[in-house]
Amino acid sequence: MGKLKSYQEQLQEIVDKGINAAEEQQKKLASKPFDYAEKLESEAREYSVKTLRKRYNGYSDSLFEQLRSLNTRFGSFAGDLVAKLEKEAAEGADAVAEAAEEVSDAAQGAKKSVEPKKPAARKTTARKSASTANKSTASA
């Protein structure tokens, strides 16, 4: 029976050491939030609510002013980019208009060279009149 008693005591010591280690770790973990709260409380006492509000408003104003400045810079950049694109588009439109004018001029020139001459049409009419006159004298 002595050996069983010895095993029982050893087992109780092991469990007791485990409990002690767990308790120590739990106390360390539990103390962290309290340490932070104590530190925050001591720092908060250094400032009044008005001072804290001023600081907050100052940081807030600074942040939004920086955002406005960034927006202005972005707007300027975008404006420059739009102006450049519009200039290129206008130059492209001018080039297209010039090319269209050249094509139109070439088409007009081609049309004039292909059109039949009107005096040739008159000769055909005159021949028909003469042949009609010959037929009427031949039948008389």
Side-chain angles (χ1 to χ4, degrees):
M1 270 288 187
K3 278 192 171 193
L4 288 176
K5 183 75 171 165
S6 171
Y7 288 146
Q8 177 198 357
E9 289 174 359
Q10 286 177 357
L11 187 59
Q12 279 185 316
E13 283 180 28
I14 290 171
V15 171
D16 198 33
K17 285 180 182 178
I19 291 171
N20 289 339
E23 181 183 23
E24 191 176 317
Q25 287 300 318
Q26 190 275 335
K27 285 182 180 180
K28 281 182 183 178
L29 288 173
S31 70
K32 295 252 184 218
F34 292 108
D35 292 342
Y36 289 129
E38 288 173 357
K39 183 178 179 184
L40 182 64
E41 182 182 40
S42 68
E43 288 178 3
R45 287 184 188 163
E46 293 176 14
Y47 303 105
S48 70
V49 174
K50 288 181 181 180
T51 306
L52 290 174
R53 183 183 302 248
K54 273 186 180 179
R55 281 186 141 182
Y56 172 80
N57 288 337
Y59 293 141
S60 178
D61 292 344
S62 174
L63 170 70
F64 288 110
E65 191 58 39
Q66 288 176 357
L67 289 173
R68 284 184 187 93
S69 173
L70 180 64
N71 186 36
T72 301
R73 289 174 55 194
F74 178 75
S76 175
F77 172 75
D80 292 345
L81 186 61
V82 167
K84 183 178 179 182
L85 291 173
E86 285 178 345
K87 180 181 176 187
E88 289 177 5
E91 289 172 355
D94 290 344
V96 167
E98 287 176 16
E101 189 175 323
E102 289 174 10
V103 168
S104 176
D105 291 344
Q108 290 294 330
K111 184 178 177 183
K112 286 180 182 177
S113 66
V114 172
E115 285 182 354
K117 297 184 179 181
K118 292 188 178 183
R122 287 183 190 157
K123 287 181 184 176
T124 308
T125 310
R127 285 185 194 159
K128 285 182 182 178
S129 301
S131 63
T132 309
N134 287 338
K135 285 180 185 178
S136 35
T137 48
S139 50

